[in-house]
Amino acid sequence: MNIRGCATAGVVAWHRTLRKALLGPNLPDVWLPREHTPSHTLSQESLQRKSFDVNLKFYDHLKPLLWCQHVLFLFGCLRLAIPLGANEHNAVILEGKPIAKEIKLRVTDELRRMKISIGRFPRLSVVLVGDRRDSHTFIHIKLKACNQVGIETVVTQLPENCAESDLLDAVSGFNLDPDVHGIIVQLPLPQHLDEEKIINVVSPEKDVDGFHPLNVGNLAIRGRKPLFIPCAPKGCIELLLRHGVEIKGKRAVIIGRSKIVGLPTSLLLQRHHATVSMLHAYTKDPQQITSEADIVVADVGIPNIVRGNWLKKGAVVIDMGSNQVKDPSGHGFRVSGDVCFEEAVKVASAITPVPGGVGPVTVSMLLSNTLDSAKRAFGMV
Amino acid sequence: MNIRGCATAGVVAWHRTLRKALLGPNLPDVWLPREHTPSHTLSQESLQRKSFDVNLKFYDHLKPLLWCQHVLFLFGCLRLAIPLGANEHNAVILEGKPIAKEIKLRVTDELRRMKISIGRFPRLSVVLVGDRRDSHTFIHIKLKACNQVGIETVVTQLPENCAESDLLDAVSGFNLDPDVHGIIVQLPLPQHLDEEKIINVVSPEKDVDGFHPLNVGNLAIRGRKPLFIPCAPKGCIELLLRHGVEIKGKRAVIIGRSKIVGLPTSLLLQRHHATVSMLHAYTKDPQQITSEADIVVADVGIPNIVRGNWLKKGAVVIDMGSNQVKDPSGHGFRVSGDVCFEEAVKVASAITPVPGGVGPVTVSMLLSNTLDSAKRAFGMV
């Protein structure tokens, strides 16, 4: 730590100790969000109530000092009046739907003009193996979006126990078909199929998912332009940029290092000159790192793992999680993110909702990628 | 910050404030390395002297409290006796030469056995464009190392103003030659040549430098095995592992994000389950981040930019810098790293020297990569 840093730390330390000395070392820090509170069961109302519910039991142990404590407590309240007020602030909600709508309109318009000028249109081929419910849902969303904007789609469905060669043949067929501009192999694949091998076979020129190692490599290497950028990370950046969030020079933390989200998001944020840290299962004390970040991207797959006290005040939070959790009403399931929204919304300056945040923008990025691919194929770029 | 984190911070804050209260808020922190001291002019001896030179001027302003201060100062010394002792400690020097020697011996032995068993050996082709002095030096080092272990080399030298097609033809020729197992295009290339295009043409199967985007992509994607890993980052990890430095779960910071060193080192450290942060020119307050890191890798290209006060006590420091600086004696130049060794050696638990650290291991990694390539070509893997 440099001398300036030391001085700042000293000031903070001084305030903390002063506060502790005045309030007593064991008094609860009522202004900090509580840990170990099951977050997803908290309603907005109950959270507010809990936050200001001073635990009076502490006073029982300190009866002789009660009067003195009251005076000092009031003093402490005055000292902390500003942070207390600030914690009540609700973050800006980074809605994805209006952005997705805008992108879809742009794609629709470009496709219309493409049809008029050259009489051609993009085609997306989707390969689905097996009968996973979530895969069906995702494909349904993608196909619907394609249909809305005018991208033709072809779905090839293979049985759960299909041979690897059948899948490879299907992909190779689409590679060779000049009328196909985008290929999606819906993941995850059944265990007996080699995902790496299949993705390697997808032509990098039609890899609208951006998962081919050549596209990933070109994304990783500064100054290069990959043919495709994975849709969710691209959507994340699009959302940040369109909401006017500055990325350059900011400290960004990605929680989770999946090849589909975490890794490419980190590479993209680096391209935008953020200082990026990647957290994962082996990271010790993750909240210490996230609490220093200006931008926090969560893609862990655990509902509400990112709590309010993981965040720096004013941080921008992008929740890429999409978890099925039991609905508190007891009727069925609902989608929950990786961030405890109710807590984070009080600390962050901006936050994406789940659902309705990055998700819709991700789907629109697939449309955009497919359009770009067709434009390249038609020599329109 | 969670409650546990808060408690720890509270203890640290408590100690700091206690120290400040005892020593007086303005007394110099003599145990911290000084900032703004021109590092590369400091000798080991002068640095030690400066570290213990208590600035007595402060006492002049506090004459009435002089006796009291003396007592408190002694108390402070007792309190800080352990850190004081620890700061005198010199780090373990992570020598690269013995590791390089060991790897060379292994490669030599494998090559000898290869020649005996199948009568074949690896061949490395090097393409050099122009007459850069540093490029000539690097190639000389590589060729010498190849010669030592028994790897055959072919050097193609093209004039500074050669046409791009000449260079592409040379590379393509080596791609097609079954007797060539490794291709190096010495970088940087003259301005008029498109580096990206040339590297894309190098066959990923002969890309012993590991710069091809397919190899970079396969390095970035978890669970995949690139055919080649760039030599310097591979050397960095080799050095850490052979010196028994634990990487898993550690916080690692890479300063500099070059495609040759910074980027692949970050990807490799992530593969070893470090929590990696990438710093670069847009990073604000880099020393605040480095001072939290267990492993600091510097590849900036600025001599001595990483100072002692950038480091956490006990950090492991890998200096990948190699800068030509004027020799203090006034006679010619010497090679200097990016880390101010004289300061860092007193704070770190282990540090690489420059020269003699990562450099020699990097060269041995090239030999190892070429051997691996030949083994793959000969069906020996």
Side-chain angles (χ1 to χ4, degrees), chain A residues 32-258:
Chain A
L32 285 173
R34 307 280 178 86
E35 225 192 6
H36 309 306
T37 314
S39 57
H40 55 277
T41 61
L42 281 179
S43 69
Q44 193 98 342
E45 192 198 335
S46 69
L47 189 84
Q48 278 173 347
R49 199 173 57 240
K50 273 174 185 284
S51 293
F52 303 113
D53 169 30
V54 178
N55 190 345
L56 291 169
K57 280 186 184 169
F58 279 92
Y59 285 94
D60 297 339
H61 306 295
L62 299 160
K63 270 181 183 167
L65 292 167
L66 201 58
W67 184 85
C68 181
Q69 286 286 4
H70 275 293
V71 175
L72 294 175
F73 181 76
L74 284 170
F75 185 88
C77 282
L78 282 171
R79 156 74 189 80
L80 292 164
I82 298 162
L84 181 67
N87 267 0
E88 280 175 341
H89 172 75
N90 274 5
V92 170
I93 308 301
L94 304 174
E95 296 285 355
K97 283 179 187 167
I99 296 171
K101 199 177 168 185
E102 216 176 298
I103 295 165
K104 277 182 185 173
L105 282 174
R106 179 185 62 82
V107 172
T108 310
D109 187 53
E110 283 206 47
L111 287 184
R112 193 182 46 81
R113 282 188 284 131
M114 186 185 274
K115 277 181 193 168
I116 292 167
S117 65
I118 60 165
R120 299 186 72 178
F121 48 84
R123 183 177 287 161
L124 177 71
S125 289
V126 181
V127 187
L128 172 65
V129 183
D131 256 321
R132 282 181 67 112
R133 203 179 129 194
D134 55 353
S135 293
H136 271 286
T137 308
F138 288 134
I139 286 185
H140 172 73
I141 294 168
K142 291 169 189 173
L143 296 180
K144 192 179 152 194
C146 286
N147 189 41
Q148 280 171 348
V149 298
I151 292 174
E152 203 178 82
T153 52
V154 187
V155 181
T156 300
Q157 192 160 359
L158 296 169
E160 175 84 19
N161 60 354
C162 74
E164 198 166 81
S165 57
D166 294 338
L167 180 52
L168 290 171
D169 287 348
V171 174
S172 303
F174 292 136
N175 282 343
L176 294 170
D177 186 344
D179 290 332
V180 169
H181 310 101
I183 302 169
I184 290 178
V185 179
Q186 186 63 41
L187 301 179
L189 292 171
Q191 284 287 322
H192 71 286
L193 300 171
D194 184 346
E195 189 182 298
E196 182 176 329
K197 199 170 168 185
I198 311 296
I199 288 176
N200 282 354
V201 169
V202 174
S203 161
E205 285 80 23
K206 300 184 181 185
D207 171 40
V208 284
D209 263 339
F211 297 159
H212 192 283
L214 197 67
N215 283 320
V216 176
N218 280 323
L219 176 62
I221 302 169
R222 258 176 86 205
R224 287 193 173 226
K225 205 174 174 312
L227 292 172
F228 301 101
I229 295 169
C231 301
K234 199 177 172 186
C236 165
I237 302 293
E238 190 76 24
L239 199 136
L240 288 170
L241 296 178
R242 292 209 182 209
H243 279 285
V245 176
E246 205 188 334
I247 304 174
K248 191 197 271 185
K250 300 294 176 193
R251 281 189 70 179
V253 165
I254 324 282
I255 318 171
R257 51 173 168 170
S258 71

Side-chain angles (χ1 to χ4, degrees), chain A residues 330-341:
Chain A
H331 301 295
F333 291 85
R334 65 179 179 90
V335 175
S336 164
D338 292 342
V339 179
C340 176
F341 186 85

Side-chain angles (χ1 to χ4, degrees), chain B residues 39-51:
Chain B
S39 58
H40 54 276
T41 61
L42 280 179
S43 69
Q44 193 97 342
E45 192 196 338
S46 69
L47 191 82
Q48 276 172 349
R49 200 173 55 239
K50 273 173 185 282
S51 292

Side-chain angles (χ1 to χ4, degrees), chain B residues 321-364:
Chain B
S322 178
N323 313 290
Q324 293 275 336
V325 293
K326 275 191 179 171
D327 197 273
S329 67
H331 300 296
F333 291 84
R334 66 179 177 88
V335 175
S336 164
D338 292 341
V339 179
C340 176
F341 186 85
E342 293 84 355
E343 288 183 9
V345 79
K346 296 190 178 301
V347 187
S349 63
I351 184 169
T352 56
V354 174
V358 183
V361 192
T362 298
V363 177
S364 69

